[in-house]
Amino acid sequence: MAVNQKLQVHSKQNDSILLEASWSLLDSPPAQNSWQSIDISFQQTLVSSPIEVLNHLDDIYIVSDDATQKIDSKSFTSPKAFQFLLQCLQATASGTHHGRLVKLIIPLQQGYITRSDIIPLRLRDSEYVETAVSFAEPLQTYSGTGVPGTKASLSAIFSSAAAGLLLHQTPGSDIQAEYQTLSLSAESDLDNRLSLPWILPGTPPQKTLVLVDANSAHPEDGLGLYIAARELGIKLVVLDNGGSWLEKEEHAHWREAFIPTRITNPPEAEVGNHILRSVQAYGKPVDGIITFADSFWPYIAEIAPQLGLKTASPEALRTATNKYLLSKYVGHTAYNAFNLEDALDIANKHQLPYPLIVKPCDGWSSEGVSRVDNIEALTTAVQVIDNSRHGNEFVIEQYCEGPEVDINFVLQDGEILFFEVCDDLPKSADINGHSTTSHSNFHELNSVYPSILPQDEIALLRDSFLNTMLSLGLRDGIMHLEGRVQYSSMEYRLQNGITDLVPAKTTRPPEAWLIEINPRPLGMTGSYIIESTYGIDYWGLALLLGVSDKERVRALSKPYKLGPQYTCIMVFIPVDYPVTCQGIFDSEDVCADLKARRPDLAKQISRCACLVKRGQKVPHPSTGRNTFLAYFNVFSREGRDHALELARQVREEVRYSFI
């Protein structure tokens, strides 16, 4: 122990001591990384009432043999660091084991932080960390000199740190021994998770990015994109229709500027000109332009040269984002149509072999995607496409029966910086080529990370799909692809109520079957599972790629050193109610309800969200609309079988009703 002093919380009214806690600098493991890790032990030695203590946390003193010093927010260079200290004292006062262990992370490299929340981001679901708080501001610089623990004051140590970690409580009787074990375990975890250059040398880059389409109709839809931009220090100039929530003054802190711009989806022919005029009206230099609505990309690519900005070619983006053009490009037998008459004529003229897939050429979230097993089903499939959302053009193509996967690439200058594959377990329209429900749509049910496919099949998917993108001219971006493995050595099988991939008998070599290319990350909720499983935020990387910040893209594309931290399953809860109902949701938050009833399952849920509210009218699945009720990211460190069992229990425990 280098330092051992007392910290006291006093009452304003009578100056009595409400909490007396000793704080100690513990001997930390030798520095082997780009940071200094300092352990601080808070031990409760006197407490009158935890509630009373928590109401007087602004009267704090450090007591030593020769002096008493009051500390407050002015004693700390970072307000977030002072708030973390208060949080530690609250935990000490209200804890049942009379003490808490804290780690402070101090950079030992000179430079700027890659993103200000990088440490909490990389520590999500750590076994040893109860709370991780960043003290850093966007693009903050550090001297890299560290702190001499034996001489530094408590406020100096906190002020030098980039983040603080409140470790989980230890129930043992030998506190010092327990702290040493906990500290070593957390240190090993940090070595795995902070295995990336999170402090970069040089001058912090100041970048401005144009965002076409705000990507959310309301802040309740999720602020992940805007939080990432803030933590990265990227200024956003948002182009969207007037009346957006981002246009309001109370939300101005989320963007550099908002420029009302007429954009419709499906796009009008003039949308490119609308975008061009809005960027020119902004009148200041910009470093890039991006959208997360696929249909706008060809139009953006057409006008980008006039703004001095670089994108892939309009032809490449038009092919990638049109389901019919992409199917033809990769050699599938496919036909495009614009109405039911076209579809029936194609089916009769070409004697198409069933099963088939029908889907809008400009579609998303599996909306309007149907499996067709006969001519009657073809009629139904065409009728459920929502033309107001996806336009009139749709594609009719062969159905591939192999295991389906989601594949995500981080591409920079044609190089794969990161790549992962997940298994999309049988959807509502297929299992071994047969319908599993009365519906023929393709709403997701379970997505399992990482994939269990053999490495040779994963390599086949990677190489085949990369070659397709490069041949199109797609060399930069977060690319979200969907595909299947035709003639795979694995097949879906239902065993003990759980469906998973198992070895299959096959005599033909596997083939990669590309379904679609999305030049963007998978949806915000879907990207959360990548963030927690691998430590990588696709949305933040997409923003950095948009402004060509190559150094930070390369740094933040590095996953955990030991690979995925667990098996994680995104459990989708699709809406299901009798057609006789009005379709009005009549329950509260189903996620909060499940976690309250099953705290054992709550411990295995990384993230979750209920996507509808009581009183909301929800489309029936038969309409072809995205009808998800909720999602749960369920994880297990024991393995895939355990994760699948947990996912089964979560799905069965969801309770809701419709009227």
PDB file of all heavy atoms in Angstrom, residues 407-439:
ATOM      1  N   ILE A 407     -23.353 -11.487 -42.807  1.00  0.00           N
ATOM      2  CA  ILE A 407     -21.907 -11.296 -42.879  1.00  0.00           C
ATOM      3  C   ILE A 407     -21.632  -9.801 -42.914  1.00  0.00           C
ATOM      4  O   ILE A 407     -22.217  -9.076 -43.726  1.00  0.00           O
ATOM      5  CB  ILE A 407     -21.307 -11.962 -44.130  1.00  0.00           C
ATOM      6  CG1 ILE A 407     -21.646 -13.441 -44.137  1.00  0.00           C
ATOM      7  CG2 ILE A 407     -19.811 -11.747 -44.192  1.00  0.00           C
ATOM      8  CD1 ILE A 407     -21.075 -14.179 -45.312  1.00  0.00           C
ATOM      9  N   ASN A 408     -20.765  -9.351 -42.036  1.00  0.00           N
ATOM     10  CA  ASN A 408     -20.447  -7.928 -41.969  1.00  0.00           C
ATOM     11  C   ASN A 408     -18.956  -7.717 -42.193  1.00  0.00           C
ATOM     12  O   ASN A 408     -18.118  -8.408 -41.595  1.00  0.00           O
ATOM     13  CB  ASN A 408     -20.868  -7.358 -40.616  1.00  0.00           C
ATOM     14  CG  ASN A 408     -22.362  -7.486 -40.392  1.00  0.00           C
ATOM     15  OD1 ASN A 408     -23.158  -6.912 -41.117  1.00  0.00           O
ATOM     16  ND2 ASN A 408     -22.757  -8.263 -39.391  1.00  0.00           N
ATOM     17  N   PHE A 409     -18.646  -6.769 -43.058  1.00  0.00           N
ATOM     18  CA  PHE A 409     -17.269  -6.419 -43.389  1.00  0.00           C
ATOM     19  C   PHE A 409     -16.987  -4.977 -42.986  1.00  0.00           C
ATOM     20  O   PHE A 409     -17.833  -4.098 -43.173  1.00  0.00           O
ATOM     21  CB  PHE A 409     -17.029  -6.504 -44.904  1.00  0.00           C
ATOM     22  CG  PHE A 409     -17.091  -7.879 -45.502  1.00  0.00           C
ATOM     23  CD1 PHE A 409     -18.304  -8.452 -45.833  1.00  0.00           C
ATOM     24  CD2 PHE A 409     -15.934  -8.582 -45.790  1.00  0.00           C
ATOM     25  CE1 PHE A 409     -18.379  -9.707 -46.420  1.00  0.00           C
ATOM     26  CE2 PHE A 409     -15.991  -9.840 -46.387  1.00  0.00           C
ATOM     27  CZ  PHE A 409     -17.210 -10.408 -46.694  1.00  0.00           C
ATOM     28  N   VAL A 410     -15.774  -4.741 -42.470  1.00  0.00           N
ATOM     29  CA  VAL A 410     -15.233  -3.391 -42.388  1.00  0.00           C
ATOM     30  C   VAL A 410     -14.175  -3.307 -43.476  1.00  0.00           C
ATOM     31  O   VAL A 410     -13.127  -3.957 -43.387  1.00  0.00           O
ATOM     32  CB  VAL A 410     -14.613  -3.091 -41.010  1.00  0.00           C
ATOM     33  CG1 VAL A 410     -14.053  -1.666 -40.992  1.00  0.00           C
ATOM     34  CG2 VAL A 410     -15.636  -3.270 -39.904  1.00  0.00           C
ATOM     35  N   LEU A 411     -14.473  -2.521 -44.522  1.00  0.00           N
ATOM     36  CA  LEU A 411     -13.570  -2.405 -45.669  1.00  0.00           C
ATOM     37  C   LEU A 411     -12.946  -1.015 -45.710  1.00  0.00           C
ATOM     38  O   LEU A 411     -13.639  -0.006 -45.538  1.00  0.00           O
ATOM     39  CB  LEU A 411     -14.327  -2.630 -46.979  1.00  0.00           C
ATOM     40  CG  LEU A 411     -14.830  -4.028 -47.306  1.00  0.00           C
ATOM     41  CD1 LEU A 411     -15.496  -4.024 -48.683  1.00  0.00           C
ATOM     42  CD2 LEU A 411     -13.701  -5.045 -47.271  1.00  0.00           C
ATOM     43  N   GLN A 412     -11.650  -0.979 -45.944  1.00  0.00           N
ATOM     44  CA  GLN A 412     -10.954   0.284 -46.160  1.00  0.00           C
ATOM     45  C   GLN A 412      -9.921   0.080 -47.254  1.00  0.00           C
ATOM     46  O   GLN A 412      -9.042  -0.778 -47.134  1.00  0.00           O
ATOM     47  CB  GLN A 412     -10.282   0.779 -44.873  1.00  0.00           C
ATOM     48  CG  GLN A 412      -9.621   2.148 -45.021  1.00  0.00           C
ATOM     49  CD  GLN A 412      -9.292   2.778 -43.688  1.00  0.00           C
ATOM     50  OE1 GLN A 412     -10.057   3.544 -43.122  1.00  0.00           O
ATOM     51  NE2 GLN A 412      -8.118   2.450 -43.158  1.00  0.00           N
ATOM     52  N   ASP A 413     -10.064   0.821 -48.337  1.00  0.00           N
ATOM     53  CA  ASP A 413      -9.184   0.684 -49.505  1.00  0.00           C
ATOM     54  C   ASP A 413      -9.164  -0.754 -50.012  1.00  0.00           C
ATOM     55  O   ASP A 413      -8.122  -1.259 -50.457  1.00  0.00           O
ATOM     56  CB  ASP A 413      -7.764   1.148 -49.171  1.00  0.00           C
ATOM     57  CG  ASP A 413      -7.701   2.619 -48.810  1.00  0.00           C
ATOM     58  OD1 ASP A 413      -8.503   3.402 -49.367  1.00  0.00           O
ATOM     59  OD2 ASP A 413      -6.868   2.993 -47.962  1.00  0.00           O
ATOM     60  N   GLY A 414     -10.309  -1.429 -49.935  1.00  0.00           N
ATOM     61  CA  GLY A 414     -10.421  -2.790 -50.438  1.00  0.00           C
ATOM     62  C   GLY A 414      -9.888  -3.856 -49.498  1.00  0.00           C
ATOM     63  O   GLY A 414      -9.947  -5.044 -49.812  1.00  0.00           O
ATOM     64  N   GLU A 415      -9.385  -3.455 -48.333  1.00  0.00           N
ATOM     65  CA  GLU A 415      -8.821  -4.398 -47.351  1.00  0.00           C
ATOM     66  C   GLU A 415      -9.852  -4.696 -46.270  1.00  0.00           C
ATOM     67  O   GLU A 415     -10.550  -3.805 -45.790  1.00  0.00           O
ATOM     68  CB  GLU A 415      -7.571  -3.795 -46.722  1.00  0.00           C
ATOM     69  CG  GLU A 415      -6.935  -4.667 -45.640  1.00  0.00           C
ATOM     70  CD  GLU A 415      -5.805  -3.970 -44.912  1.00  0.00           C
ATOM     71  OE1 GLU A 415      -5.469  -2.823 -45.290  1.00  0.00           O
ATOM     72  OE2 GLU A 415      -5.271  -4.556 -43.950  1.00  0.00           O
ATOM     73  N   ILE A 416      -9.934  -5.958 -45.883  1.00  0.00           N
ATOM     74  CA  ILE A 416     -10.813  -6.338 -44.781  1.00  0.00           C
ATOM     75  C   ILE A 416     -10.107  -6.031 -43.463  1.00  0.00           C
ATOM     76  O   ILE A 416      -9.087  -6.633 -43.128  1.00  0.00           O
ATOM     77  CB  ILE A 416     -11.169  -7.833 -44.824  1.00  0.00           C
ATOM     78  CG1 ILE A 416     -11.905  -8.192 -46.117  1.00  0.00           C
ATOM     79  CG2 ILE A 416     -12.035  -8.206 -43.622  1.00  0.00           C
ATOM     80  CD1 ILE A 416     -12.194  -9.682 -46.261  1.00  0.00           C
ATOM     81  N   LEU A 417     -10.655  -5.082 -42.704  1.00  0.00           N
ATOM     82  CA  LEU A 417     -10.109  -4.780 -41.383  1.00  0.00           C
ATOM     83  C   LEU A 417     -10.781  -5.614 -40.304  1.00  0.00           C
ATOM     84  O   LEU A 417     -10.176  -5.903 -39.272  1.00  0.00           O
ATOM     85  CB  LEU A 417     -10.274  -3.293 -41.068  1.00  0.00           C
ATOM     86  CG  LEU A 417      -9.558  -2.313 -42.000  1.00  0.00           C
ATOM     87  CD1 LEU A 417      -9.712  -0.889 -41.476  1.00  0.00           C
ATOM     88  CD2 LEU A 417      -8.086  -2.665 -42.154  1.00  0.00           C
ATOM     89  N   PHE A 418     -12.032  -5.976 -40.530  1.00  0.00           N
ATOM     90  CA  PHE A 418     -12.752  -6.836 -39.595  1.00  0.00           C
ATOM     91  C   PHE A 418     -13.861  -7.530 -40.365  1.00  0.00           C
ATOM     92  O   PHE A 418     -14.404  -6.990 -41.329  1.00  0.00           O
ATOM     93  CB  PHE A 418     -13.341  -6.032 -38.436  1.00  0.00           C
ATOM     94  CG  PHE A 418     -14.118  -6.867 -37.451  1.00  0.00           C
ATOM     95  CD1 PHE A 418     -13.470  -7.776 -36.636  1.00  0.00           C
ATOM     96  CD2 PHE A 418     -15.497  -6.752 -37.352  1.00  0.00           C
ATOM     97  CE1 PHE A 418     -14.179  -8.557 -35.731  1.00  0.00           C
ATOM     98  CE2 PHE A 418     -16.219  -7.523 -36.452  1.00  0.00           C
ATOM     99  CZ  PHE A 418     -15.554  -8.433 -35.642  1.00  0.00           C
ATOM    100  N   PHE A 419     -14.177  -8.743 -39.919  1.00  0.00           N
ATOM    101  CA  PHE A 419     -15.139  -9.578 -40.635  1.00  0.00           C
ATOM    102  C   PHE A 419     -15.727 -10.556 -39.641  1.00  0.00           C
ATOM    103  O   PHE A 419     -15.006 -11.132 -38.825  1.00  0.00           O
ATOM    104  CB  PHE A 419     -14.382 -10.315 -41.751  1.00  0.00           C
ATOM    105  CG  PHE A 419     -15.066 -11.537 -42.292  1.00  0.00           C
ATOM    106  CD1 PHE A 419     -16.041 -11.427 -43.270  1.00  0.00           C
ATOM    107  CD2 PHE A 419     -14.714 -12.807 -41.845  1.00  0.00           C
ATOM    108  CE1 PHE A 419     -16.660 -12.554 -43.781  1.00  0.00           C
ATOM    109  CE2 PHE A 419     -15.328 -13.932 -42.355  1.00  0.00           C
ATOM    110  CZ  PHE A 419     -16.304 -13.807 -43.324  1.00  0.00           C
ATOM    111  N   GLU A 420     -17.057 -10.719 -39.640  1.00  0.00           N
ATOM    112  CA  GLU A 420     -17.670 -11.713 -38.771  1.00  0.00           C
ATOM    113  C   GLU A 420     -18.932 -12.252 -39.425  1.00  0.00           C
ATOM    114  O   GLU A 420     -19.517 -11.620 -40.308  1.00  0.00           O
ATOM    115  CB  GLU A 420     -17.957 -11.159 -37.372  1.00  0.00           C
ATOM    116  CG  GLU A 420     -18.631  -9.803 -37.308  1.00  0.00           C
ATOM    117  CD  GLU A 420     -20.108  -9.821 -37.537  1.00  0.00           C
ATOM    118  OE1 GLU A 420     -20.721 -10.895 -37.389  1.00  0.00           O
ATOM    119  OE2 GLU A 420     -20.664  -8.766 -37.885  1.00  0.00           O
ATOM    120  N   VAL A 421     -19.315 -13.438 -38.985  1.00  0.00           N
ATOM    121  CA  VAL A 421     -20.461 -14.149 -39.553  1.00  0.00           C
ATOM    122  C   VAL A 421     -21.349 -14.611 -38.404  1.00  0.00           C
ATOM    123  O   VAL A 421     -20.858 -15.103 -37.390  1.00  0.00           O
ATOM    124  CB  VAL A 421     -20.010 -15.369 -40.373  1.00  0.00           C
ATOM    125  CG1 VAL A 421     -21.211 -16.071 -40.992  1.00  0.00           C
ATOM    126  CG2 VAL A 421     -19.015 -14.968 -41.452  1.00  0.00           C
ATOM    127  N   CYS A 422     -22.657 -14.453 -38.577  1.00  0.00           N
ATOM    128  CA  CYS A 422     -23.589 -15.009 -37.610  1.00  0.00           C
ATOM    129  C   CYS A 422     -24.549 -15.945 -38.320  1.00  0.00           C
ATOM    130  O   CYS A 422     -24.783 -15.822 -39.531  1.00  0.00           O
ATOM    131  CB  CYS A 422     -24.353 -13.914 -36.881  1.00  0.00           C
ATOM    132  SG  CYS A 422     -25.911 -13.426 -37.629  1.00  0.00           S
ATOM    133  N   ASP A 423     -25.084 -16.894 -37.567  1.00  0.00           N
ATOM    134  CA  ASP A 423     -26.067 -17.833 -38.108  1.00  0.00           C
ATOM    135  C   ASP A 423     -27.463 -17.266 -37.888  1.00  0.00           C
ATOM    136  O   ASP A 423     -27.881 -17.051 -36.751  1.00  0.00           O
ATOM    137  CB  ASP A 423     -25.948 -19.196 -37.404  1.00  0.00           C
ATOM    138  CG  ASP A 423     -24.623 -19.871 -37.688  1.00  0.00           C
ATOM    139  OD1 ASP A 423     -24.152 -19.785 -38.832  1.00  0.00           O
ATOM    140  OD2 ASP A 423     -24.050 -20.476 -36.757  1.00  0.00           O
ATOM    141  N   ASP A 424     -28.164 -17.021 -38.996  1.00  0.00           N
ATOM    142  CA  ASP A 424     -29.571 -16.644 -38.912  1.00  0.00           C
ATOM    143  C   ASP A 424     -30.373 -17.936 -38.897  1.00  0.00           C
ATOM    144  O   ASP A 424     -30.615 -18.535 -39.951  1.00  0.00           O
ATOM    145  CB  ASP A 424     -29.972 -15.789 -40.122  1.00  0.00           C
ATOM    146  CG  ASP A 424     -29.902 -14.312 -39.823  1.00  0.00           C
ATOM    147  OD1 ASP A 424     -29.759 -13.961 -38.642  1.00  0.00           O
ATOM    148  OD2 ASP A 424     -29.983 -13.511 -40.758  1.00  0.00           O
ATOM    149  N   LEU A 425     -30.753 -18.363 -37.717  1.00  0.00           N
ATOM    150  CA  LEU A 425     -31.466 -19.630 -37.613  1.00  0.00           C
ATOM    151  C   LEU A 425     -32.812 -19.533 -38.312  1.00  0.00           C
ATOM    152  O   LEU A 425     -33.293 -18.434 -38.585  1.00  0.00           O
ATOM    153  CB  LEU A 425     -31.611 -20.027 -36.152  1.00  0.00           C
ATOM    154  CG  LEU A 425     -30.294 -20.311 -35.423  1.00  0.00           C
ATOM    155  CD1 LEU A 425     -30.560 -20.938 -34.066  1.00  0.00           C
ATOM    156  CD2 LEU A 425     -29.370 -21.208 -36.235  1.00  0.00           C
ATOM    157  N   PRO A 426     -33.430 -20.664 -38.622  1.00  0.00           N
ATOM    158  CA  PRO A 426     -34.609 -20.678 -39.490  1.00  0.00           C
ATOM    159  C   PRO A 426     -35.618 -19.589 -39.159  1.00  0.00           C
ATOM    160  O   PRO A 426     -35.999 -19.397 -38.003  1.00  0.00           O
ATOM    161  CB  PRO A 426     -35.193 -22.068 -39.244  1.00  0.00           C
ATOM    162  CG  PRO A 426     -34.015 -22.904 -38.939  1.00  0.00           C
ATOM    163  CD  PRO A 426     -33.090 -22.013 -38.152  1.00  0.00           C
ATOM    164  N   LYS A 427     -36.012 -18.884 -40.202  1.00  0.00           N
ATOM    165  CA  LYS A 427     -36.985 -17.807 -40.050  1.00  0.00           C
ATOM    166  C   LYS A 427     -38.376 -18.390 -40.186  1.00  0.00           C
ATOM    167  O   LYS A 427     -38.574 -19.595 -40.306  1.00  0.00           O
ATOM    168  CB  LYS A 427     -36.708 -16.727 -41.089  1.00  0.00           C
ATOM    169  CG  LYS A 427     -35.300 -16.155 -40.954  1.00  0.00           C
ATOM    170  CD  LYS A 427     -35.036 -15.032 -41.917  1.00  0.00           C
ATOM    171  CE  LYS A 427     -33.616 -14.502 -41.736  1.00  0.00           C
ATOM    172  NZ  LYS A 427     -33.321 -13.377 -42.630  1.00  0.00           N
ATOM    173  N   SER A 428     -39.350 -17.500 -40.166  1.00  0.00           N
ATOM    174  CA  SER A 428     -40.730 -17.973 -40.133  1.00  0.00           C
ATOM    175  C   SER A 428     -41.132 -18.717 -41.390  1.00  0.00           C
ATOM    176  O   SER A 428     -42.134 -19.413 -41.392  1.00  0.00           O
ATOM    177  CB  SER A 428     -41.671 -16.792 -39.898  1.00  0.00           C
ATOM    178  OG  SER A 428     -41.381 -15.738 -40.799  1.00  0.00           O
ATOM    179  N   ALA A 429     -40.358 -18.616 -42.470  1.00  0.00           N
ATOM    180  CA  ALA A 429     -40.757 -19.266 -43.725  1.00  0.00           C
ATOM    181  C   ALA A 429     -39.898 -20.463 -44.096  1.00  0.00           C
ATOM    182  O   ALA A 429     -40.127 -21.070 -45.134  1.00  0.00           O
ATOM    183  CB  ALA A 429     -40.732 -18.251 -44.870  1.00  0.00           C
ATOM    184  N   ASP A 430     -38.890 -20.803 -43.294  1.00  0.00           N
ATOM    185  CA  ASP A 430     -38.079 -21.937 -43.726  1.00  0.00           C
ATOM    186  C   ASP A 430     -37.399 -22.664 -42.578  1.00  0.00           C
ATOM    187  O   ASP A 430     -36.963 -22.066 -41.609  1.00  0.00           O
ATOM    188  CB  ASP A 430     -37.025 -21.502 -44.755  1.00  0.00           C
ATOM    189  CG  ASP A 430     -36.019 -20.503 -44.226  1.00  0.00           C
ATOM    190  OD1 ASP A 430     -36.020 -20.174 -43.030  1.00  0.00           O
ATOM    191  OD2 ASP A 430     -35.216 -20.050 -45.032  1.00  0.00           O
ATOM    192  N   ILE A 431     -37.363 -23.962 -42.713  1.00  0.00           N
ATOM    193  CA  ILE A 431     -36.496 -24.836 -41.931  1.00  0.00           C
ATOM    194  C   ILE A 431     -36.290 -26.083 -42.778  1.00  0.00           C
ATOM    195  O   ILE A 431     -37.226 -26.792 -43.122  1.00  0.00           O
ATOM    196  CB  ILE A 431     -37.062 -25.171 -40.534  1.00  0.00           C
ATOM    197  CG1 ILE A 431     -36.136 -26.156 -39.833  1.00  0.00           C
ATOM    198  CG2 ILE A 431     -38.468 -25.707 -40.585  1.00  0.00           C
ATOM    199  CD1 ILE A 431     -36.432 -26.362 -38.370  1.00  0.00           C
ATOM    200  N   ASN A 432     -35.048 -26.289 -43.183  1.00  0.00           N
ATOM    201  CA  ASN A 432     -34.736 -27.361 -44.141  1.00  0.00           C
ATOM    202  C   ASN A 432     -35.649 -27.297 -45.370  1.00  0.00           C
ATOM    203  O   ASN A 432     -36.070 -28.306 -45.926  1.00  0.00           O
ATOM    204  CB  ASN A 432     -34.873 -28.739 -43.484  1.00  0.00           C
ATOM    205  CG  ASN A 432     -33.714 -29.007 -42.544  1.00  0.00           C
ATOM    206  OD1 ASN A 432     -32.638 -28.439 -42.700  1.00  0.00           O
ATOM    207  ND2 ASN A 432     -33.944 -29.856 -41.564  1.00  0.00           N
ATOM    208  N   GLY A 433     -35.982 -26.049 -45.771  1.00  0.00           N
ATOM    209  CA  GLY A 433     -36.768 -25.870 -46.973  1.00  0.00           C
ATOM    210  C   GLY A 433     -38.254 -26.013 -46.786  1.00  0.00           C
ATOM    211  O   GLY A 433     -39.000 -26.046 -47.764  1.00  0.00           O
ATOM    212  N   HIS A 434     -38.736 -26.098 -45.542  1.00  0.00           N
ATOM    213  CA  HIS A 434     -40.163 -26.277 -45.314  1.00  0.00           C
ATOM    214  C   HIS A 434     -40.687 -25.193 -44.391  1.00  0.00           C
ATOM    215  O   HIS A 434     -40.007 -24.770 -43.456  1.00  0.00           O
ATOM    216  CB  HIS A 434     -40.446 -27.654 -44.699  1.00  0.00           C
ATOM    217  CG  HIS A 434     -39.982 -28.776 -45.565  1.00  0.00           C
ATOM    218  ND1 HIS A 434     -40.591 -29.114 -46.738  1.00  0.00           N
ATOM    219  CD2 HIS A 434     -38.932 -29.625 -45.424  1.00  0.00           C
ATOM    220  CE1 HIS A 434     -39.962 -30.148 -47.289  1.00  0.00           C
ATOM    221  NE2 HIS A 434     -38.943 -30.471 -46.519  1.00  0.00           N
ATOM    222  N   SER A 435     -41.904 -24.746 -44.636  1.00  0.00           N
ATOM    223  CA  SER A 435     -42.505 -23.699 -43.827  1.00  0.00           C
ATOM    224  C   SER A 435     -42.702 -24.184 -42.396  1.00  0.00           C
ATOM    225  O   SER A 435     -43.119 -25.303 -42.155  1.00  0.00           O
ATOM    226  CB  SER A 435     -43.846 -23.275 -44.424  1.00  0.00           C
ATOM    227  OG  SER A 435     -44.470 -22.313 -43.608  1.00  0.00           O
ATOM    228  N   THR A 436     -42.379 -23.315 -41.424  1.00  0.00           N
ATOM    229  CA  THR A 436     -42.522 -23.666 -40.013  1.00  0.00           C
ATOM    230  C   THR A 436     -43.771 -23.063 -39.395  1.00  0.00           C
ATOM    231  O   THR A 436     -44.124 -23.383 -38.277  1.00  0.00           O
ATOM    232  CB  THR A 436     -41.299 -23.173 -39.213  1.00  0.00           C
ATOM    233  OG1 THR A 436     -41.217 -21.751 -39.357  1.00  0.00           O
ATOM    234  CG2 THR A 436     -40.039 -23.810 -39.708  1.00  0.00           C
ATOM    235  N   THR A 437     -44.417 -22.116 -40.070  1.00  0.00           N
ATOM    236  CA  THR A 437     -45.620 -21.491 -39.545  1.00  0.00           C
ATOM    237  C   THR A 437     -46.609 -21.334 -40.682  1.00  0.00           C
ATOM    238  O   THR A 437     -46.346 -21.708 -41.818  1.00  0.00           O
ATOM    239  CB  THR A 437     -45.323 -20.099 -38.954  1.00  0.00           C
ATOM    240  OG1 THR A 437     -45.073 -19.193 -40.038  1.00  0.00           O
ATOM    241  CG2 THR A 437     -44.137 -20.110 -38.032  1.00  0.00           C
ATOM    242  N   SER A 438     -47.738 -20.749 -40.349  1.00  0.00           N
ATOM    243  CA  SER A 438     -48.735 -20.507 -41.388  1.00  0.00           C
ATOM    244  C   SER A 438     -48.347 -19.333 -42.261  1.00  0.00           C
ATOM    245  O   SER A 438     -48.996 -19.067 -43.271  1.00  0.00           O
ATOM    246  CB  SER A 438     -50.097 -20.234 -40.738  1.00  0.00           C
ATOM    247  OG  SER A 438     -50.013 -19.109 -39.872  1.00  0.00           O
ATOM    248  N   HIS A 439     -47.285 -18.604 -41.883  1.00  0.00           N
ATOM    249  CA  HIS A 439     -46.864 -17.442 -42.652  1.00  0.00           C
ATOM    250  C   HIS A 439     -45.697 -17.815 -43.555  1.00  0.00           C
ATOM    251  O   HIS A 439     -44.897 -18.694 -43.253  1.00  0.00           O
ATOM    252  CB  HIS A 439     -46.448 -16.298 -41.720  1.00  0.00           C
ATOM    253  CG  HIS A 439     -47.519 -15.927 -40.735  1.00  0.00           C
ATOM    254  ND1 HIS A 439     -48.757 -15.513 -41.125  1.00  0.00           N
ATOM    255  CD2 HIS A 439     -47.522 -15.922 -39.379  1.00  0.00           C
ATOM    256  CE1 HIS A 439     -49.500 -15.252 -40.054  1.00  0.00           C
ATOM    257  NE2 HIS A 439     -48.767 -15.501 -38.983  1.00  0.00           N
TER     258      HIS A 439
END
